[in-house]
C-alpha cells in the first residue's frame, strides 16, 4: 500500500513515529467507512419508505359470520391480498348495522386505500360509503350491492340465476305441480330481491303455487325452523321449500324431520354448505346453488389491490344499477349441484372432502 502517497495527499510531510502513522490511518479509514455506512443507511431508509408507500391498505368489513361461507371467504381474501403485497384489516359487525357503519368510519379515519364491504343492510350503508368515496378511498360492494353509493366495484354471483336454478329444480322434481313454500333471507339484503326475481320469472305460468312465504331477519337460520312449522300448519301437503341458503335449509329440514316429511318434500338452498351436500347425497335435499367462494374472494382481493394502486380492472365488462349510479360489475356464475354432479363439482373441485360429504352414506 503506498502509504507515502496517502500521507502527502493528506498534507503530511513531517516524519512521525509509527504510532502516529497508525492513528492517522485508522482515522482516515473510519471516516470513509462512516460516510459509506451513512449512505447505505439512507438508501435503506428510502427503500423502506417507498415500500411502505406502495403497500395497499385494505379495510374489509363483514356484516357477520352467521353464514358459514363468510369465514372461508375472509381467509381466502386475506391470503390472496397478502400474496399481492397488501395489508388487510378485517372487521366483523356481528349483525349490527350501526356497528358496521362505525367500522367503515374507522377505516375512513385510518385513510386506508380501499374499503371492501359485505353489507348487512344495503340501504343503510349508502351515506358512509359515499363519505369514503369523497375522502378519496376506493370502495367495493362485495357479494351484495350497496345501494345509491356509487361504489368503484361490485363483485358478486348472478343472483337472479341463483333464483332460476332453485325454481328449475322445483319444476323438475315436482312435475305434477303443487304447493310450495318460500323461506328467504332478509329484504335488507339486495341479493334476496334478485333471487326472488329469478324464482318468479321461472315459476311464472307453471303449476307450482307459492302458498306460504317468509323472510328471516339477519339470516338467522332458526327462524326458518319456526316458519316451516308455521307453514305446515297451514298446508301439510306442501311439495317443496325453496330456502334462501343452506343454513335456512338445515332448519327447514329439521322441522320436516320432526313431522316425518324429510325426503318427501323437495328442498333447495344455496352456498354448498357441507351439511347441505350431505343431505343431497342422502336424498333429503335436492340441490344447492353452489358459488365458489375461493373464486369470488381471490378475485375480489386482486381487484381491491388493483384499485388501491390506481390500476384498471380488465375483467370488468358490465355495470349494475344501484338506484343512482351504474357501478362497474364483475359477475360470476353459480352452478346447480345435485347428487349427480356432487363428485365433479364439490369433491374434485376441492370444496369438501369425499369422506365428509358421504359420511352418512353406506
Amino acid at each position: 500500500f503506498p502509504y507515502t502517497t496517502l500521507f502527502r495527499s493528506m498534507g503530511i510531510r513531517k516524519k512521525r513515529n509509527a504510532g502516529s502513522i497508525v492513528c492517522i490511518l485508522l482515522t482516515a479509514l473510519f471516516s470513509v467507512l462512516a460516510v459509506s455506512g451513512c449512505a447505505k443507511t439512507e438508501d435503506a431508509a428510502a427503500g423502506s419508505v417507498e415500500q411502505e408507500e406502495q403497500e395497499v391498505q385494505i379495510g374489509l368489513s363483514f356484516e357477520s359470520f352467521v353464514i358459514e361461507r363468510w369465514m372461508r371467504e375472509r381467509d381466502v381474501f386475506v391470503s390472496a391480498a397478502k400474496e399481492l403485497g397488501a395489508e388487510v384489516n378485517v372487521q366483523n359487525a356481528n349483525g349490527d348495522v350501526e356497528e358496521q357503519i362505525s367500522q367503515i368510519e374507522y377505516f375512513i379515519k385510518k385513510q386506508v386505500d380501499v374499503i371492501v364491504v359485505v353489507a348487512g343492510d344495503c340501504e343503510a350503508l349508502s351515506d358512509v360509503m359515499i363519505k369514503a368515496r369523497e375522502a378519496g378511498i376506493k370502495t367495493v360492494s362485495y357479494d351484495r350491492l350497496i345501494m345509491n353509493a356509487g361504489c368503484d366495484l361490485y363483485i358478486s354471483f348472478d343472483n337472479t340465476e341463483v333464483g332460476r336454478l332453485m325454481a328449475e329444480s322445483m319444476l323438475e322434481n315436482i312435475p305434477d305441480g303443487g304447493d310450495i313454500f318460500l323461506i328467504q333471507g332478509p329484504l335488507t339484503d339486495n341479493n334476496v330481491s334478485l333471487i326472488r326475481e329469478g324464482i318468479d320469472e321461472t315459476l311464472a305460468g307453471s303449476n307450482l303455487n307459492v302458498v306460504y312465504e317468509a323472510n328471516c331477519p339477519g339470516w338467522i337460520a332458526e327462524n326458518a325452523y319456526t316458519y316451516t312449522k308455521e307453514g305446515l300448519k297451514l298446508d301439510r301437503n306442501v311439495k317443496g321449500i325453496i330456502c334462501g341458503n343452506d343454513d335456512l335449509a338445515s332448519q327447514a329440514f329439521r322441522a320436516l324431520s320432526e313431522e316425518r316429511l324429510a325426503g318427501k318434500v323437495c328442498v333447495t338452498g344455496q352456498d354448498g354448505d357441507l351439511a347441505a351436500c350431505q343431505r343431497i347425497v342422502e336424498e333429503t335435499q335436492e340441490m344447492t346453488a353452489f358459488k365458489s367462494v375461493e373464486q369470488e374472494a381471490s378475485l375480489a382481493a386482486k381487484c381491491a389491490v388493483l384499485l388501491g394502486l390506481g390500476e384498471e380492472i380488465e375483467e370488468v365488462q358490465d355495470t349494475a344499477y344501484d338506484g343512482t349510479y351504474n357501478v362497474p360489475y364483475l359477475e360470476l356464475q353459480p352452478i346447480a349441484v345435485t347428487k349427480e354432479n356432487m363428485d365433479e363439482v364439490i369433491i374434485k373441485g376441492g370444496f369438501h372432502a369425499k369422506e365428509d360429504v358421504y359420511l352418512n352414506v353406506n
Side-chain angles (χ1 to χ4, degrees):
F1 185 87
Y3 295 113
T4 305
T5 304
L6 176 61
F7 296 156
R8 286 176 179 168
S9 68
M10 295 173 64
I12 301 170
R13 300 183 184 279
K14 189 175 179 181
K15 289 185 179 180
R16 300 180 183 271
N17 58 37
S20 298
I21 292 172
V22 172
C23 287
I24 292 169
L25 272 174
L26 291 174
T27 301
L29 288 171
F30 284 139
S31 297
V32 172
L33 290 172
V35 170
S36 175
C38 287
K40 288 180 180 178
T41 301
E42 289 174 1
D43 290 343
S48 176
V49 169
E50 184 179 349
Q51 182 178 0
E52 186 177 334
E53 288 176 351
Q54 290 179 348
E55 186 176 70
V56 175
Q57 303 290 316
I58 301 172
L60 176 58
S61 173
F62 283 91
E63 171 249 345
S64 76
F65 290 132
V66 167
I67 298 175
E68 178 183 309
R69 58 179 280 212
W70 292 135
M71 287 187 283
R72 192 164 184 161
E73 294 203 41
R74 173 201 61 193
D75 295 343
V76 174
F77 185 101
V78 171
S79 177
K82 284 185 176 179
E83 285 182 9
L84 295 170
E87 183 178 335
V88 185
N89 183 329
V90 179
Q91 299 286 325
N92 172 20
N94 291 310
D96 187 329
V97 175
E98 291 304 318
E99 177 62 21
Q100 188 161 40
I101 292 172
S102 177
Q103 289 171 355
I104 295 169
E105 288 177 337
Y106 166 76
F107 288 146
I108 296 171
K109 185 177 179 180
K110 292 281 289 183
Q111 296 182 314
V112 299
D113 300 299
V114 188
I115 297 177
V116 181
V117 179
V118 178
D121 187 324
C122 295
E123 296 278 358
L125 300 185
S126 303
D127 289 345
V128 73
M129 293 299 276
I130 291 173
K131 183 179 177 181
R133 193 186 69 197
E134 290 174 345
I137 298 170
K138 300 295 184 181
T139 56
V140 177
S141 286
Y142 187 119
D143 199 73
R144 301 166 180 169
L145 179 61
I146 299 171
M147 307 305 291
N148 305 301
C151 290
D152 294 282
L153 178 68
Y154 166 45
I155 179 169
S156 186
F157 286 83
D158 183 343
N159 289 287
T160 304
E161 180 65 11
V162 169
R164 291 192 196 102
L165 294 176
M166 291 175 166
E168 285 169 2
S169 179
M170 288 286 155
L171 290 172
E172 290 170 9
N173 288 280
I174 314 172
D176 296 332
D179 297 341
I180 64 172
F181 298 167
L182 293 186
I183 300 179
Q184 302 293 290
L187 292 175
T188 53
D189 181 341
N190 186 59
N191 288 353
V192 173
S193 299
L194 296 174
I195 291 169
R196 182 61 187 269
E197 285 179 16
I199 293 170
D200 290 346
E201 173 189 305
T202 306
L203 295 182
S206 74
N207 54 2
L208 289 178
N209 307 305
V210 178
V211 297
Y212 177 86
E213 58 183 287
N215 294 88
C216 301
W219 287 102
I220 303 301
E222 286 73 15
N223 289 322
Y225 170 84
T226 303
Y227 293 143
T228 301
K229 286 281 195 177
E230 186 177 276
L232 289 172
K233 288 178 182 177
L234 300 173
D235 186 350
R236 191 174 175 81
N237 295 317
V238 62
K239 301 296 183 182
I241 304 177
I242 299 179
C243 297
N245 68 11
D246 290 333
D247 257 358
L248 304 187
S250 290
Q251 294 299 318
F253 166 76
R254 183 164 73 93
L256 290 171
S257 296
E258 291 178 359
E259 301 293 331
R260 298 185 179 181
L261 292 172
K264 299 177 182 179
V265 177
C266 180
V267 177
T268 65
Q270 71 162 316
D271 289 343
D273 287 359
L274 177 58
C277 291
Q278 290 172 337
R279 287 193 298 272
I280 288 171
V281 298
E282 294 163 16
E283 300 184 347
T284 54
Q285 179 168 327
E286 183 55 37
M287 64 80 72
T288 180
F290 174 65
K291 302 184 293 188
S292 173
V293 298
E294 279 84 359
Q295 180 188 15
E296 183 177 31
S298 58
L299 192 53
K302 173 190 171 184
C303 292
V305 172
L306 288 174
L307 285 172
L309 294 173
E311 297 182 14
E312 203 172 311
I313 302 172
E314 295 179 357
E315 291 90 344
V316 176
Q317 302 293 328
D318 204 354
T319 60
Y321 187 59
D322 73 356
T324 304
Y325 307 92
N326 288 312
V327 179
Y329 176 32
L330 189 51
E331 182 183 87
L332 306 174
Q333 291 301 314
I335 301 171
V337 172
T338 64
K339 186 179 179 181
E340 284 68 34
N341 65 350
M342 178 68 68
D343 289 8
E344 183 67 28
V345 177
I346 298 296
I347 294 169
K348 288 185 180 178
F351 194 69
H352 295 307
K354 184 171 184 175
E355 57 268 27
D356 293 332
V357 172
Y358 290 90
L359 181 65
N360 303 315
V361 177
N362 296 325

